[in-house]
Each structure stands twice: as structure tokens, then as C-alpha cells.
Amino acid sequence: MGMKPSASVGDGGVVRAAVVVVGLGAGGPMAFPVWACAGRDVVALELGDAMGPGEMTRREEEMLPRLFMEGASRATEDLAIRVLQGKGVGGSTLHNTNLCKPLPREIVEWWANDWGLEDLLDPQLDADFADVMNLLGVHEVPDDRINRNNALIARGVEALGWRGGRLMHNRQGCRGSGFCELGCPNNGKQNASKVLIPKAIRSGGRVLTGARAERVLVERGRAAGVRAAIVDPHTGREKGTFEVRADRVVVAASATNSAALLRASDVPDPLRLMGTNLHLHPGAYVAGVFDEDVRSWEGVPQAQECTEFLKLGPGDGPRAWIVSGAAHPGAVAGLMPGFGAQHGRDMLLYKNLAILIVMLHDESSGRVAPGRGEGVHISYSLSRGDWAQLAMGMNEAARILLAAGAREVVLPGAPPRRLATMAELDARKLGARDVAPHAPSLVAVHPMSTLWMGADPRRSVVDPRGEHHRMPGLFVADGSLFPTSIGGPPQIPIYTFGRRVARAVMG
Amino acid sequence: MALGLRDRIADRALGRLARAVGDDAARWVQSVGLERAASLVARALGERRGEGGGFEPWQRATLGALQHTMCRYDAVDAPLPEAASIGALEAALDFASHMPPDKRGQLADLLVLFEAGPYALGPRRARFTRLSDEERDAYALAWQDARVPVVRGAFGALKSVCMMGYWSRPATWGAIEYELFDGEHPPLGEEE
């Protein structure tokens, strides 16, 4: 069958398989070829469509609705944080900026000690990370691909003598067009849709697109399949429902959609854990205005980081991950403070802006509940401590930009602060009370932790292998698994845990 | 401008509603819910609310007027075009058309409240689309800087749609020297 629209099954249709996987982002596709190559009859369901490089038009207004859940309008209930999550065959790996980091050792030890995940201390985890990074061709971004934005940020971090450096990416065929976030037009990403899914299909795996999972089917206390809506990927219109009957159900639809799916199903949850513990890595941007042209939208967007203010393990410490960023004009204009004449003057400086994103390794947590259609309800508020961390991170990001030679930095608080010197920054830096919902605008691209793993069924949703504590045959294979925020890019950890869950499913 | 009979009826109905709601319109919306609030306000306006995630012509006009306010760059020393001259409203509506029906419905409901909001928030009792440019600026600022976070959030949601519609138009790119960059390198990994 290969890959087909779910409409091919027909309203009321039934598909049978050994394994059904819901969601083709990073975790599901890493597991998908494992089963297919082992001869298991596996069917994968994906809400979005399959898109090739030729369909990546580089136009924001066209690609954002195609590549992101809810037409790129997903947000927390109070609208304070936009939550950008991918859809389509490849999920968020279609639009991410290819950042690759294995799970930090501090996080592994934290989880081992506090959630009974001692297995993670086994060398097998390191071997799994190495295998996954090798498979995806992960390498440091080479010197000749460092654009002006990233070069300036490296200069600022170095001038301050702070921890940080070059990031690793999974790219091959990249021409440096800078359209990573809108889908690569040059097929330059070693992502799920390029590396993993074709291999699974060649080995007999089946994919149904335009399939929105509505419920996990349960029989005699075991997961028995999935009921899904047949959805037109372009209009979102429903055209009926169908079922996939399978002995194993693997949910890999992201920390929001997987949790919402399980909560909408008859999956036992006596302690009401499912959907709680949501972490987001909410991020705010800080811009520096340079005399020279920066043109941050051209070239590899995110290649430099600063980890000076990032303590990853448990306990007190700074929790701000500072990383370079870029966006195209429609998104930048939406995030930039104000409107009218001052906004227009700021937009004229677009080519002179270097941009840093301050992403929180968040202690705050929220919850997810099912919504209508592809919608989910996301409740999440930053703790007082996280607001303080955000303010601190924004101040230090501004310092990096000034150290790199910015003639002015813009801290988008309420009102935005425009500062020209280190002395001015020290005198007028942001405090926790100077930042609040909607000032600055926050964006989150890393939801995680809503169906987290652990040894104790009273304190976790799934076991260390990824199988639900109270529902045999139901597995989780996405960022929902993480017991805490991980403080860095999640794609490699999600891919890797997808592979580990694949092994558990195989028994 | 003299008001017609229909406008005078709407004016009285909205005045009554604004008095009933009191000083804290945002709290009233939160207490009755966005959908119900929009339904009541639309009825007072004498307009259809826009069902099923669609926008009525008057809601499109509200969005267009808001976009004009947000992207009014005539005081900027650069050749930035007027939103209405480059199809920015159509682009914004097309962008919104890809949202799920629930989200489009919320956006349509926000436009109902935004249009009628001056009755509760000032600067004078009139629909948003009938305010002068200066009055619209003041009114939009009141939403942007509102004490209640969810009002700021609503404004942010409307702003992102307006800005996407305007700045995604190629006619705006020359002024900011943006272009669809092709990349300047041979494909990574294939030149070695």
C-alpha cells in the first residue's frame, strides 16, 4: 500500500496490522522502520500531508498553515504563548532548524535518581544516541555555513568569555537558503521524511495521511487499535471515520496531541496524571541593531549557543538557554513590539538585526486536555521563578549582542527597552516584574513531559520501556516521555527514545 | 456623520449593553465566555456574528481597518505601501482560512468585540470602523496595553494575522531589502 490518504480506507473501514503508530514526527518514524524491517505489519497514521521539497514554496503565509498544527494558531488558553508544532509526514522535523544534541548527562542522572530510570545509566543509551546521530548524519555546522547573525553571536559570547559554542546539525544537501522553518526547498535536512519513512515503506510499512486519531480502542483491558477521523489535509474537513485494529498501539503525536488522545480514550488514569506536567521551553527574543547588514534570514539560522546561564540538573541555578534565531518578515512583524510608525521604523532595521532567543529550561508546568478537531486545550503559566529566569536571560542575551558590537539592543518588555551601552543595560535591566504575559511575546516549540516515564505507577504514566503502566499494549514514543524539561533541542532525544520504545514493542 | 435608523438602534443597544457590562468589559467577556459575549454584542450591533468559522463582510471590514491601523506607515521615511493597495487583507483572510473552524470562529468573535469595544473602552461611543485614524490608534493602544492579560493576548492574536497579511506581500519586501534567498553554497555534503 505504501503511503495513501486515509480517505482510501473509506468511511467505516477497518485496517488490520500488528502495530499502529500515531504520528510521524521524530519518535514514530524512528520506530517505524525498526518494525517494518523486522517484518512486522505496521501502519502509521499522520494528520497532515506528505510534502516534498518541490512543495516548499518559501512563502510564510503558505507554509506556516501547512506545516504547523491548527494553521500555526495553536496557543495556550490565555493566548500568552504561541505553541508551534509540526504536522505532516515528518512532523516537526520538516520545519525545525536541525539542532542536534543528545540528552545531557545531568538530565539522565536526574531521571535515573528521581524517577527510577536507572536503565538510562547503562552504556546502551549512549550507544543509541550515537547510532541515531550517525544515521541522521549529525555534524558540527562547518565554518563556511556560519552566517553573519551566528558569527556576531559567537563574537559576543567569546568576548565575554562565556560558555557556548557551535551547534551540531543533521543536514546534507543544505544550500544555506535559510528557509528551514518553512520546510527546506532543497531537501537539505536529514529528517524523518527523508531518511526514515521511505525506508520503512520500502520494507512494507504502510502510511495513512489525513488521519486524525480520536480514540485508542480498548478490549479486555488491552490496547486494541485506534479509531481515527478521515480528514482532508488542506481544508480540515472530516469525511468519516475508520479503525486500525492492532495488538500494539504506539502514540507519537507529540506531548500535546498524544496526551489529549489518551485522555479522550478509556485509558485508566486513577491519579489523573495524563496530560499534566507539561513543559514547553517558552522562549522570548532579544534583538541587537548593528550598523552592518546582518540579514539573519539568510543561511543556517541556528548555529551558535550560549550555555553560561543554563544549569541542567535538579536544584537551584540559572535556567536560560540562549541560542541564535531568525525568522521571516511576517513572523518578525508579529513579534516586534507595537504597531504603526515606530513598528515600521523597526521593520526597516530588519536587515540590521541580530537575534537571540532565550529559551527557558522551565520548572513551570501546565496541562493538556482534548479539544475539538485537531485542537487541544493547553493551560500553562510561568512561575514567578521562571519569569525571573526569563528576565535574567534576556538581560544576558542583550549583553552578548552589545559585546558583539550592537549599537542598540531591544528588550521587548512592557514597554520595550532600547539600550545602547553595557552601563545602560546594568542600570535598566529587566527584573521579574518587568516581564509579564504578552510582554514579551513568547513562543514555544518544544512541548514535552505529559505522559512521562518512571518506575513508580503512582508518580509516572508509562514504565521505563515506554509502555503505559495501566494499559498493556499501549506505548508512548515522543517527547511526552520526558519526566522533566530537558533544557535543549529535543529532536535527538525523541528520535532515540523512539528507537528504544521500538525495541520494547518488539519484545 | 449622521447616523441612519439602523445605526441609531444599534447605538442605543450597545450603549445599554455597555452600561450593563460596567467598567470591566474584559471580566464580563471572561464570565460569559467569548462565544456568548460575541453573540450578544453582534446582536446589539444588528449584525450577523459569523457562524461556522466564516467571516461576515463587516468583520472583514473590521479586520481591514485594524490592519490599516497597525500597518499605517505613512510617517515612516520609506516606500512602504498602504495595506489596502497590496491585497494585505485578502492575504490575512487567506492565512486565517487555514485555521481549524474553532480557531477561525474565535478570531471572528474577537473581531465582533473589537468592532464594538469603543462603546465600553472609548475613546467615544462608536464602532471601531467609524473612528478617525487617531482615535483608532488610541483604541488599539488600549487593547495592546490592557491591564487584563487576556485582552493583550487577543490583541496579539489579531496583530499576528494582520502583520502576516501585510509583510508576506512581496510589495513590502523592497523597503526592508528582503528577498527569497536561494542559498549561496553548493549542497552541503556533496561538495566534498
Side-chain angles (χ1 to χ4, degrees):
Chain A
M1 175 180 91
M3 190 175 327
K4 285 186 174 177
S6 64
S8 64
V9 178
D11 186 20
V14 176
V15 176
R16 295 184 191 282
V19 182
V20 58
V21 55
V22 179
L24 283 175
M30 187 54 86
F32 190 24
V34 173
W35 300 315
C37 294
R40 292 287 181 95
D41 184 11
V42 54
V43 171
L45 306 182
E46 169 54 45
L47 171 61
D49 206 357
M51 286 164 275
E55 293 168 86
M56 306 303 188
T57 63
R58 303 183 291 173
R59 296 294 296 265
E60 286 178 278
E61 75 282 20
E62 294 170 1
M63 296 315 301
L64 290 172
R66 286 195 76 184
L67 291 171
F68 290 87
M69 297 295 295
E70 300 183 45
S73 69
R74 181 169 281 184
T76 52
E77 290 284 278
D78 63 358
L79 303 175
I81 307 176
R82 284 186 77 184
V83 182
L84 294 175
Q85 293 186 263
K87 71 173 179 184
V89 174
S92 291
T93 75
L94 291 170
H95 75 251
N96 71 16
T97 53
N98 295 73
L99 302 190
C100 293
K101 275 189 180 184
L103 198 61
R105 191 69 193 169
E106 298 94 317
I107 299 286
V108 172
E109 288 173 358
W110 187 11
W111 293 0
N113 293 333
D114 285 15
W115 278 272
L117 298 170
E118 291 89 356
D119 285 0
L120 299 183
L121 298 175
D122 189 281
Q124 182 63 47
L125 181 66
D126 290 334
D128 286 338
F129 276 118
D131 282 352
V132 165
M133 294 207 290
N134 187 45
L135 178 64
L136 299 176
V138 175
H139 57 90
E140 195 173 87
V141 179
D143 286 345
D144 69 342
R145 303 304 167 105
I146 297 298
N147 68 6
R148 198 67 201 132
N149 189 38
N150 283 284
L152 287 168
I153 286 155
R155 186 162 86 190
V157 172
E158 195 180 314
L160 292 164
W162 287 352
R163 267 186 298 146
R166 187 81 56 90
L167 286 157
M168 292 192 294
H169 284 202
N170 55 324
R171 296 172 187 274
Q172 191 167 17
C174 169
R175 300 176 64 91
S177 70
F179 284 96
C180 307
E181 289 174 323
L182 302 180
C184 182
N186 300 314
N187 208 21
K189 298 182 174 195
Q190 295 297 94
N191 60 11
S193 60
K194 181 178 171 184
V195 179
L196 303 172
I197 295 166
K199 182 178 174 186
I201 290 175
R202 283 196 302 274
S203 302
R206 295 177 282 168
V207 175
L208 291 169
T209 58
R212 193 185 67 235
E214 292 188 325
R215 288 177 76 82
V216 173
L217 303 174
V218 178
E219 283 179 5
R220 291 186 289 279
R222 284 190 59 89
V226 172
R227 190 182 74 202
I230 299 167
V231 176
D232 182 319
H234 301 291
T235 64
R237 194 167 297 137
E238 292 182 27
K239 299 174 175 173
T241 60
F242 69 101
E243 289 183 358
V244 181
R245 313 291 298 191
D247 298 332
R248 299 279 189 277
V249 175
V250 181
V251 292
S254 87
T256 53
N257 288 74
S258 289
L261 172 62
L262 266 54
R263 286 194 55 175
S265 307
D266 293 325
V267 175
D269 186 22
L271 301 175
R272 296 180 180 276
L273 298 178
M274 295 193 309
T276 63
N277 193 40
L278 171 72
H279 298 290
L280 286 175
H281 288 171
Y285 82 90
V286 176
V289 184
F290 287 76
D291 289 328
E292 64 187 286
D293 284 4
V294 180
R295 302 179 73 83
S296 61
W297 65 89
E298 295 179 353
V300 173
Q302 290 188 302
Q304 292 291 146
E305 66 174 347
C306 172
T307 54
E308 181 72 16
F309 304 96
L310 181 61
K311 177 179 179 292
L312 289 164
D316 294 337
R319 288 180 283 102
W321 181 42
I322 303 174
V323 62
S324 50
H328 296 274
V332 167
L335 290 169
M336 204 168 258
F339 59 88
Q342 182 58 51
H343 184 273
R345 288 185 199 102
D346 287 343
M347 282 302 291
L348 293 182
L349 296 171
Y350 177 43
K351 70 182 166 65
N352 302 98
L353 297 181
I355 299 172
L356 277 170
I357 298 168
V358 179
M359 224 179 277
L360 283 179
H361 176 32
D362 45 339
E363 65 174 17
S364 311
S365 66
R367 62 178 59 229
V368 176
R372 275 190 283 185
E374 75 182 77
V376 292
H377 298 288
I378 303 173
S379 310
Y380 180 99
S381 300
L382 263 70
S383 67
R384 188 176 291 270
D386 273 350
W387 280 119
Q389 288 295 317
L390 185 70
M392 177 277 296
M394 291 169 71
N395 292 329
E396 302 311 336
R399 201 176 302 278
I400 292 170
L401 292 163
L402 288 171
R407 71 164 189 258
E408 180 183 76
V409 291
V410 182
L411 287 166
R417 292 178 194 198
R418 296 164 194 273
L419 311 166
T421 64
M422 295 283 192
E424 232 181 308
L425 173 61
D426 288 332
R428 297 181 57 207
K429 65 185 177 189
L430 295 170
R433 291 178 187 283
D434 300 316
V435 283
H438 313 291
S441 299
L442 296 178
V443 176
V445 293
H446 299 159
M448 65 195 102
S449 311
T450 51
L451 302 166
W452 66 106
M453 56 189 166
D456 184 350
R458 293 166 302 178
R459 293 185 59 231
S460 57
V461 177
V462 303
D463 69 18
R465 299 156 54 250
E467 188 168 19
H468 197 282
H469 281 303
R470 301 170 198 277
M471 174 67 60
L474 174 61
F475 291 80
V476 175
D478 58 28
S480 314
L481 289 167
F482 305 160
T484 67
S485 159
I486 64 169
Q491 75 157 339
I492 291 297
I494 294 173
Y495 275 125
T496 304
F497 278 94
R499 171 168 279 209
R500 290 170 69 88
V501 171
R503 284 202 299 265
V505 171
M506 297 271 285
Chain B
M1 182 172 59
L3 296 177
L5 177 62
R6 189 165 169 267
D7 290 328
R8 288 203 300 274
I9 293 169
D11 190 54
R12 275 201 296 276
L14 281 161
R16 276 199 302 275
L17 184 60
R19 281 193 294 279
V21 166
D23 292 340
D24 203 339
R27 180 175 291 177
W28 173 72
V29 173
Q30 285 180 299
S31 67
V32 303
L34 175 62
E35 205 172 311
R36 172 99 177 117
S39 177
L40 289 168
V41 172
R43 198 178 307 157
L45 280 169
E47 302 282 11
R48 291 163 60 93
R49 179 177 141 240
E51 303 286 340
F55 296 92
E56 295 292 330
W58 70 273
Q59 288 167 312
R60 293 166 191 250
T62 303
L63 186 64
L66 176 57
Q67 190 177 49
H68 169 78
T69 300
M70 289 196 171
C71 305
R72 194 156 60 84
Y73 300 128
D74 45 5
V76 180
D77 184 22
L80 284 166
E82 269 194 47
S85 69
I86 57 170
L89 173 61
E90 291 72 20
L93 288 165
D94 189 51
F95 183 70
S97 74
H98 295 286
M99 296 175 185
D102 277 9
K103 282 287 167 75
R104 284 202 306 273
Q106 286 174 12
L107 201 60
D109 286 346
L110 287 178
L111 289 169
V112 173
L113 301 182
F114 197 84
E115 174 72 3
Y119 280 88
L121 305 174
R124 67 181 170 91
R125 281 176 46 172
R127 298 170 65 137
F128 170 67
T129 46
R130 295 182 185 162
L131 299 177
S132 69
D133 279 351
E134 290 67 30
E135 289 170 329
R136 287 180 186 179
D137 282 349
Y139 174 67
L141 269 175
W143 277 65
Q144 177 189 269
D145 299 333
R147 188 173 40 83
V148 182
V150 75
V151 178
R152 300 199 296 271
F155 185 76
L158 292 168
K159 176 180 167 182
S160 62
V161 172
C162 290
M163 292 297 181
M164 183 59 69
Y166 182 84
W167 290 100
S168 65
R169 297 295 83 202
T172 66
W173 296 348
I176 56 173
E177 298 183 38
Y178 175 79
E179 58 190 349
L180 298 181
F181 188 58
D182 283 324
E184 58 190 358
H185 298 288
L188 187 66
E190 294 171 21
E191 78 275 29
E192 293 157 6

